[in-house]
Amino acid sequence: MSVTVKADACVGAGQCALVAPDVFDQDDDGIVILLESDPQGADRTAATRAARLCPARAITVSEQ
């Protein structure tokens, strides 16, 4: 699995950091920060859920 983010598309909703805190964080402006680009186990499921919840579609999850 590969996770990528488009920080310039992020609107700062914060759903990603709430749903997958080991994979995503937010900077001082609320913009997404990717902590783990290849999550494992439960973090994989959480990252996929975060991508679905992102209102800006700033998160992409793909299988390698």
Side-chain angles (χ1 to χ4, degrees):
M1 164 182 270
S2 175
V3 180
T4 58
V5 297
K6 295 181 206 165
D8 60 333
C10 179
V11 297
Q15 294 302 306
C16 56
L18 291 173
V19 171
D22 291 333
V23 181
F24 305 102
D25 198 357
Q26 291 179 282
D27 68 14
D28 292 338
D29 294 322
I31 303 302
V32 65
I33 299 171
L34 181 62
L35 301 175
E36 177 61 55
S37 63
D38 185 18
Q40 302 298 313
D43 288 337
R44 291 175 71 112
T45 302
T48 300
R49 183 167 183 239
R52 284 194 315 263
L53 291 172
C54 180
R57 301 293 179 236
I59 301 169
T60 303
V61 174
S62 59
E63 293 297 326
Q64 293 180 335

